Amino acid sequence: MRRRLPPLNALRAFEASARLGSFVAAAAELRVSAAAVSQQVRRLERYLDTQLFQRLARGLVLTEQGRDWLPELSAGFDLLGDSTARLRAKRADGLLTLTTLAAFANGWLLPRLQRFRERAPRIDVVLRTSRTLADFRREDVDLAIRFAPGPSRGLHGEMLCREELFPVASPRLFGAGRTPDGLAAVAGYPLLHDIDAHPEQPWLSWRAWFERARLDPAPAARGLQFTDSIVLLGAAVAGLGIALGRGPHVAPQLARGQLIRVTQDSWLAPWSYFLVAPADHFKRPAVRAFVDWALEEARGAQDG
């Protein structure tokens, strides 16, 4: 007999909203809009002919029916996730799902990835780029590369590489003239700003650089501002100004001569890039093969 199940997308929307306490948080986890989550929950309520949430000014409150149903629904999703993980873990080769920041993938991983394909030709990589942290319990992800002060709580982590920052620009920004000889001279050029940086990452801010050098931070208030570091780098390559180049991100542009290091000033970020996942993921052959390769690549870059 065919099972009669509620709409599965609607179930995911309700479970995430109930667990996280809001449609906005659920939308971020599910990578859809808050309006779409709300519509899916209403669809589920119509299907069940039952109200699952009270929608109040202060937020969502589960009804009695919603509270009773949520633990069983969450347990069902957990069981499905665990069984899927066990099935995938049995594969010696096959698929490796990796998540990381787009800028790190573009600058550090992609120029090297062909070497991994040559080393492990039977492993296909699914590369997901997102600024949202992967939820290993609920997402089909084998491994993540995260930029953080340390490994995430509850996850095993192996440090991949550090990050050094330094001013970079297109050589055409200076024409036939000399490049600036220090931060004080940099202040006289257009500056490009990453305004989407984490508040605990002052090394990404021009203001922090000038203050650290005991210079007037006023120039940091001027210039083009960006919420995407890849677009910011594109602006630097186009000759629109000087950017704070993140070593792993700008290596390809430096190698091609699209960008140059403007001064010898640098700032070694206290955060690092970590390979992270639940400890048992590192026992999977595909994960271990990628981790060993990535660590060798990182050591090779340091030795070079």
Side-chain angles (χ1 to χ4, degrees):
M1 182 179 297
R2 186 173 65 89
R3 292 187 180 92
R4 254 198 105 196
L5 296 174
L8 295 182
N9 283 340
L11 286 178
R12 292 181 68 205
F14 164 70
E15 192 276 339
S17 300
R19 173 167 41 85
L20 299 172
S22 79
F23 291 149
V24 173
E29 178 176 294
L30 299 175
R31 299 187 180 91
V32 297
S33 68
V37 172
S38 177
Q39 290 171 5
Q40 289 287 354
V41 171
R42 289 191 183 279
R43 180 186 180 193
L44 182 62
E45 289 176 324
R46 288 195 299 269
Y47 178 90
L48 299 171
D49 194 22
T50 300
Q51 185 176 357
L52 299 171
F53 287 115
Q54 290 181 324
R55 295 157 174 83
L56 306 177
R58 66 177 183 272
L60 298 175
V61 177
L62 283 165
T63 63
E64 182 179 353
Q65 293 89 341
R67 287 195 303 273
D68 290 343
W69 194 33
L70 178 61
E72 294 181 356
L73 183 61
S74 295
F77 277 121
D78 288 342
L79 178 61
L80 179 61
D82 290 344
S83 61
T84 302
R86 285 194 298 272
L87 177 62
R88 295 183 77 249
K90 292 178 181 178
R91 299 173 61 181
D93 297 303
L95 211 60
L96 173 74
T97 301
L98 172 71
T99 179
T100 189
L101 294 168
F104 183 80
N106 195 57
W108 192 93
L109 182 58
L110 292 185
R112 295 171 165 83
L113 197 54
Q114 181 59 29
R115 292 199 284 272
F116 177 71
R117 297 181 67 192
E118 293 168 355
R119 176 164 164 168
R122 297 181 62 189
I123 299 176
D124 291 326
V125 176
V126 177
L127 181 58
R128 297 180 183 174
T129 56
S130 174
R131 287 184 290 184
T132 303
L133 296 183
D135 184 343
F136 287 96
R137 294 185 60 225
R138 300 183 181 278
E139 296 183 58
D140 189 16
V141 174
D142 295 302
L143 184 69
I145 301 176
R146 292 182 179 171
F147 186 59
S152 304
R153 183 179 300 177
L155 298 176
H156 177 70
E158 300 190 23
M159 195 182 87
L160 180 61
C161 62
R162 301 289 302 273
E163 179 172 87
E164 181 187 11
L165 291 94
F166 39 84
V168 297
S170 167
R172 59 180 163 167
L173 179 66
F174 311 107
R178 295 177 55 189
T179 58
D181 58 2
L183 281 180
V186 163
Y189 288 84
L191 300 180
L192 306 177
H193 304 271
D194 181 351
I195 60 170
D196 202 39
H198 193 287
E200 296 178 6
Q201 298 173 312
W203 53 91
L204 294 175
S205 161
W206 276 115
R207 172 173 291 275
W209 275 67
F210 289 132
E211 290 176 346
R212 183 170 175 252
R214 298 182 179 176
L215 297 171
D216 181 4
R222 301 190 301 271
L224 293 169
Q225 302 179 18
F226 301 87
T227 61
D228 186 305
S229 56
I230 294 179
V231 178
L232 183 150
L233 276 185
V237 169
L240 297 179
I242 302 177
L244 291 171
R246 303 172 68 170
H249 298 189
V250 301
Q253 292 87 350
L254 291 173
R256 292 192 293 264
Q258 294 174 303
L259 294 176
I260 59 172
R261 187 164 177 165
V262 176
T263 74
Q264 292 307 305
D265 300 281
S266 69
W267 192 333
L268 186 63
W271 291 19
S272 300
Y273 290 92
F274 291 88
L275 297 152
V276 299
D280 62 326
H281 285 209
F282 283 80
K283 299 175 184 177
R284 300 176 182 176
V287 172
R288 193 68 252 173
F290 183 88
V291 168
D292 290 344
W293 167 81
L295 293 176
E296 288 179 20
E297 286 285 333
R299 284 195 296 269
Q302 291 173 355
D303 294 341

